[in-house]
Amino acid sequence: MKTEEILQLNKAGWEQSAERFFGRTALPELGPFAPTENDLDLFGEVANKKVLDIGCGSGHSLQYMGNNGAKELWGLDLTKKQIETAQELLQEQRALVMLYESPMEENPGLPRDYFDIVYSIYALGWTVELEKTLTHIHRYLKPGGMFIFSWEHPMHDRIKRVDDSFILDKSYLQEGPEYNEAWNNTVIIPHRKLSTYINTLVTVGFEIEKVIDDVVLPNVATEGNNHRWYSVDKAKLIPATFIIKARKK
């Protein structure tokens, strides 16, 4: 399936399902069972910074940045519904707000060598063309600017629950687009090894500062949690989330 076809399929899936994700996995959260920005302080001081959110969703991470003093709030997202929601959420921000409905594989008119911070919270893994997307991100950043992203750990969907056990259900080594089980096979998300993310960042010119796959478990699991996609039982075996901080040379 071609890139354009996958993007159209995923856009349709998100337009239909966007509302159930409004406000979920947004800063200061970085992903399921992961330490938060409050724990890690990856971004540091964001006051007066120009920030760009790749896959901004409902705008809640941009709202967090604005509430912490960011000077300009830019975002792009594949879906019209998400952008409209973000525009409404951010309308009272004092910072400049610029939002674009666009796939991350394309530059919808974003400036080059402009941003202090680019980030993507649980969105980058949707890209159909990773190197192309990371090349755009590298160009958006000022020299010395930082890029931080989180995504589902690539081992997470390789392991499946069967009765009271977990089994390795798919090859970690086999990369490529796959219909996603968590979305009932209605969208396509490429599977990539962790090393692919790291090596592609290096290829396009980033320096890796941190790779984090620590697990933070709740004191008490909610009822029925162990039957969910992100379960405490699975998180005891394998991280649900990985986080990478990189910098433009």
Side-chain angles (χ1 to χ4, degrees):
M1 191 177 292
K2 295 181 179 179
T3 295
E4 293 77 10
E5 295 173 308
I6 296 175
L7 290 173
Q8 288 175 5
L9 179 70
N10 289 348
K11 181 178 175 66
W14 269 105
E15 295 288 9
Q16 184 176 0
S17 304
E19 291 179 3
R20 70 187 177 100
F21 292 100
F22 288 170
R24 290 175 56 183
T25 317
L27 288 172
E29 294 183 14
L30 292 162
F33 302 116
T36 68
E37 171 60 10
N38 295 335
D39 302 317
L40 298 172
D41 193 28
L42 295 174
F43 290 90
E45 180 61 61
V46 302
N48 297 314
K49 299 289 178 65
K50 302 170 185 175
V51 304
L52 168 62
D53 189 333
I54 303 295
C56 65
S58 54
H60 286 79
S61 289
L62 284 170
Q63 182 185 54
Y64 170 89
M65 285 292 187
N67 290 343
N68 281 278
K71 181 180 180 181
E72 296 184 14
L73 307 175
W74 298 60
L76 62 82
D77 198 273
L78 183 62
T79 56
K80 181 179 181 180
K81 186 175 290 186
Q82 298 272 45
I83 291 296
E84 289 177 344
T85 302
Q87 286 172 333
E88 182 175 353
L89 180 74
L90 299 170
Q91 62 183 347
E92 295 183 5
Q93 285 287 340
R94 295 183 179 180
L96 171 71
V97 177
M98 297 288 290
L99 302 177
Y100 294 83
E101 180 187 341
S102 172
M104 64 184 79
E105 294 83 358
E106 299 175 8
N107 180 353
L110 297 170
R112 186 168 181 165
D113 300 320
Y114 187 78
F115 296 97
D116 301 290
I117 301 169
V118 179
Y119 66 90
S120 181
I121 308 302
Y122 249 69
L124 184 75
W126 284 87
T127 185
V128 184
E129 299 181 47
L130 180 63
E131 185 169 344
K132 189 174 182 180
T133 294
L134 290 178
T135 297
H136 284 311
I137 291 170
H138 189 269
R139 289 172 178 167
Y140 299 148
L141 280 165
K142 295 178 179 177
M146 74 172 71
F147 174 48
I148 296 171
F149 77 93
S150 62
W151 182 240
E152 183 178 284
H153 195 285
M155 274 299 296
H156 187 269
D157 72 346
R158 307 291 96 176
I159 294 176
K160 183 177 182 179
R161 187 179 190 116
V162 177
D163 298 325
D164 293 328
S165 300
F166 288 96
I167 63 169
L168 185 63
D169 185 53
K170 300 176 184 177
S171 170
Y172 172 78
L173 303 175
Q174 184 175 344
E175 298 185 295
E178 299 177 348
Y179 282 99
N180 187 261
E181 183 181 345
W183 281 65
N184 297 317
N185 296 324
T186 57
V187 297
I188 291 176
I189 305 177
H191 172 73
R192 300 181 178 98
K193 298 180 294 182
L194 183 56
S195 60
T196 298
Y197 287 100
I198 293 172
N199 291 331
T200 309
L201 283 164
V202 172
T203 295
V204 304
F206 282 104
E207 290 183 340
I208 310 296
E209 292 193 355
K210 288 186 178 181
V211 179
I212 299 163
D213 61 359
D214 296 331
V215 174
V216 178
L217 297 173
N219 293 326
V220 178
T222 58
E223 184 177 353
N225 174 271
N226 290 331
H227 297 286
R228 295 177 181 173
W229 182 253
Y230 297 114
S231 72
V232 171
D233 276 1
K234 186 184 278 193
K236 291 177 180 178
L237 300 176
I238 190 74
T241 300
F242 75 95
I243 306 158
I244 295 180
K245 179 179 180 178
R247 197 170 294 275
K248 180 175 180 175
K249 298 178 184 178

